[in-house]
Amino acid sequence: DYAWLFPYAVAMFFSGQLADRSNLRYFLTIGMLGSSVSVALFGMGYFLSIHTLYYFILVQVFGGILQSSGWPGVVAVMANWFGKGRRGFIMGIWNCHTSVGNIIGTVVPAIWAHDDWGWSFVVSAIIMFVITIFVFTFLVTDPVHVGLPPPRHHLDSTSSGSITPTNSSDLIDSASPVHTKKQEEKAISFWQALLIPGVIEFSIALFFAKLVSYAFLFWLPFYIKANKIGGQCLNTFQSGALSTMFDVGGMIGGILAGLISDILKARAFTSTVSLYLSVPALYMFRQLGGKSLAGAIVLMIITGAFVNGPYAMITTAVSADLGTHKSLQGSQKAKATVTAIIDGTGSIGAAVGPLITGLLSSKQVRQV
């Protein structure tokens, strides 16, 4: 796991810089294609009877580097399409795809967890390859590419967050100069992005949010299996299925956090409150999660909402806001770099979280 997590986190910082200087459709396609190959290679280790540890470590490192291309690229595309007015709510709904992916990535591989485990990876690789073709064929990375005006990233008191051209000439006039300008723009440097107000603060917040989130993602099925739920021991498949309730809560929390932050126009306040509430939620899950199956489901959903809510908002709406910050003076070549800095820092927390969890579980599982 760490052979994937740490290369992913480190490569993220470079991926953002590369994404801001590349055609995002090609950038994402290459990253997805390479990721599907790396996942398939891991599964092929089973069918080819490869028992060398270094082979799997190398494949994980390769996969982590390639998969780091995904998040900076997709957030940049979304920021190209949606302005600040309702960005939190829209991004919250869109970000549900991460939880859906976690659920599929938990349930589908669990089918072959005991027998023919290689299929867990090969099937996942096939799914990704199909989606790669879809993305390459249909993805439009910027509204100006199809004759639509760009969104407003900075709203005044009379703006609602959307642009409605008064006639077709307005639409063409607003699109063409912007497209020309975007082609001439230069991407900002890593240090320029780091100095944007809020980037460092939100990066630190995401470090701890992803630390907890990935500890749950990697260890929750094992934790459930090792502890009785309602007086019963669950098998591997049941434990994996039950653990997806944490991601269900993450979807709910991401949407609500984004909506509330749009209404209050206070993303930092919304994130802070949610992170504070995650502390008693985690404690309640530890103390009461094993009492009954229904109670475990409810507490996992609540915990997932408070932990993944700010995590989802920071990696999407906040990253897009900062990537179009007023200090950039209208530059559109900073979104992926800012996203990479924030999510790269968070990914370091994601690598540290499971590591700490593993050390604690060696003493007593309930300490996790």
Side-chain angles (χ1 to χ4, degrees):
D1 291 336
Y2 308 124
W4 179 87
L5 286 168
F6 283 107
Y8 175 84
V10 173
M12 180 74 70
F13 295 103
F14 298 95
S15 293
Q17 287 275 289
L18 186 58
D20 276 332
R21 292 164 172 79
S22 307
N23 180 304
L24 288 173
R25 186 164 69 97
Y26 295 151
F27 180 78
L28 289 170
T29 299
I30 293 172
M32 292 179 67
L33 182 61
S35 298
S36 63
V37 170
S38 69
V39 173
L41 286 174
F42 199 96
M44 290 304 295
Y46 168 80
F47 297 107
L48 298 176
S49 298
I50 298 175
H51 303 291
T52 304
L53 178 61
Y54 294 110
Y55 168 82
F56 294 101
I57 291 177
L58 184 62
V59 170
Q60 286 288 72
V61 171
F62 175 68
I65 293 172
L66 287 167
Q67 289 179 44
S68 70
S69 65
W71 201 247
V74 295
V75 172
V77 171
M78 290 295 290
N80 286 342
W81 277 90
F82 299 102
K84 192 172 183 178
R86 289 180 287 272
R87 181 179 281 158
F89 179 61
I90 292 172
M91 289 287 205
I93 295 175
W94 170 74
N95 191 66
C96 288
H97 75 271
T98 60
S99 295
V100 172
N102 288 340
I103 291 171
I104 294 174
T106 300
V107 174
V108 173
I111 298 173
W112 298 281
H114 286 297
D115 302 311
D116 296 330
W117 60 264
W119 287 110
S120 299
F121 295 91
V122 172
V123 171
S124 298
I126 293 172
I127 293 173
M128 177 172 282
F129 180 75
V130 172
I131 299 301
T132 300
I133 297 174
F134 180 85
V135 168
F136 178 76
T137 305
F138 297 105
L139 178 64
V140 179
T141 61
D142 197 304
V144 300
H145 295 165
V146 288
L148 296 175
R152 288 179 181 168
H153 297 294
H154 309 294
L155 307 178
D156 54 33
S157 58
T158 61
S159 174
S160 63
S162 61
I163 296 177
T164 304
T166 55
N167 53 56
S168 59
S169 62
D170 290 340
L171 181 63
I172 297 172
D173 291 340
S174 64
S176 300
V178 172
H179 185 59
T180 302
K181 181 181 177 183
K182 286 170 75 82
Q183 289 179 324
E184 297 173 351
E185 284 179 350
K186 292 183 178 180
I188 66 172
S189 69
F190 178 89
W191 297 111
Q192 287 174 314
L194 189 66
L195 294 176
I196 295 173
V199 169
I200 294 177
E201 294 87 342
F202 278 109
S203 296
I204 294 172
L206 187 62
F207 175 92
F208 292 102
K210 289 192 76 168
L211 185 151
V212 176
S213 179
Y214 270 66
F216 266 74
L217 179 64
F218 280 81
W219 282 89
L220 190 55
F222 174 76
Y223 180 89
I224 292 173
K225 186 178 180 181
N227 293 275
K228 291 183 178 181
I229 304 293
Q232 295 182 342
C233 294
L234 304 183
N235 60 35
T236 301
F237 181 81
Q238 291 171 329
S239 299
L242 182 58
S243 70
T244 61
M245 292 298 103
F246 180 79
D247 286 296
V248 172
M251 288 189 279
I252 297 172
I255 294 172
L256 290 178
L259 178 61
I260 293 170
S261 71
D262 283 344
I263 295 172
L264 299 179
K265 294 181 172 58
R267 305 214 199 278
F269 174 78
T270 306
S271 299
T272 301
V273 171
S274 185
L275 287 172
Y276 273 125
L277 291 174
S278 69
V279 176
L282 286 165
Y283 181 77
M284 288 176 62
F285 175 74
R286 181 184 184 276
Q287 296 298 113
L288 305 175
K291 300 295 182 182
S292 67
L293 180 60
I297 291 174
V298 171
L299 288 171
M300 269 190 280
I301 291 175
I302 293 173
T303 304
F306 287 134
V307 172
N308 280 1
Y311 162 22
M313 185 171 65
I314 292 171
T315 57
T316 57
V318 170
S319 296
D321 289 348
L322 297 177
T324 55
H325 195 269
K326 289 183 178 180
S327 64
L328 297 171
Q329 299 180 341
S331 173
Q332 300 299 305
K333 289 291 188 177
K335 304 184 195 79
T337 299
V338 170
T339 299
I341 291 173
I342 294 175
D343 197 49
T345 306
S347 296
I348 295 174
V352 172
L355 180 62
I356 295 174
T357 304
L359 295 174
L360 291 174
S361 67
S362 64
K363 298 179 181 180
Q364 185 180 357
V365 175
R366 284 190 59 80
Q367 290 184 8
V368 173

